[in-house]
Amino acid sequence: MAMPEKVVQRWNAMTRTEQEQTVDFIDFLLLRRRQDNVPRKTHFQLDALAGGLEFIADNFDETPEEFEEYM
């Protein structure tokens, strides 16, 4: 597909800085499109707790030693 004449005219009317910004924006749009096409992975297994919790430490609610000074 050829570049439409109105795009070429507008491109030529821009300053060098505006042209660089336009190229950056085009790159952004292309990157966003590529990212939208990538299937997103979940970070956890959806049924991870389906069988219930198997173990909780006796000291679960206690403040870890490393955080004592902040409490």
Side-chain angles (χ1 to χ4, degrees):
M1 174 176 180
M3 182 75 64
E5 184 59 33
K6 65 182 178 180
V7 174
V8 174
Q9 291 171 352
R10 290 177 180 149
W11 177 266
N12 290 332
M14 287 190 280
T15 65
R16 176 87 172 155
T17 301
E18 292 168 334
Q19 289 174 347
E20 290 171 359
Q21 291 172 343
T22 302
V23 169
D24 289 342
F25 184 65
I26 291 169
D27 289 341
F28 163 76
L29 293 174
L30 293 173
L31 177 63
R32 188 175 70 178
R33 182 173 62 183
R34 281 195 304 261
Q35 290 174 345
D36 288 343
N37 290 333
V38 174
R40 298 182 189 253
K41 297 179 182 178
T42 57
H43 296 284
F44 57 93
Q45 186 177 345
L46 294 177
D47 61 348
L49 298 176
L53 294 175
E54 293 193 20
F55 174 76
I56 294 181
D58 293 334
N59 65 350
F60 178 78
D61 289 326
E62 293 178 17
T63 303
E65 291 177 20
E66 295 82 9
F67 293 99
E68 287 290 338
E69 67 181 282
Y70 301 106
M71 299 304 284

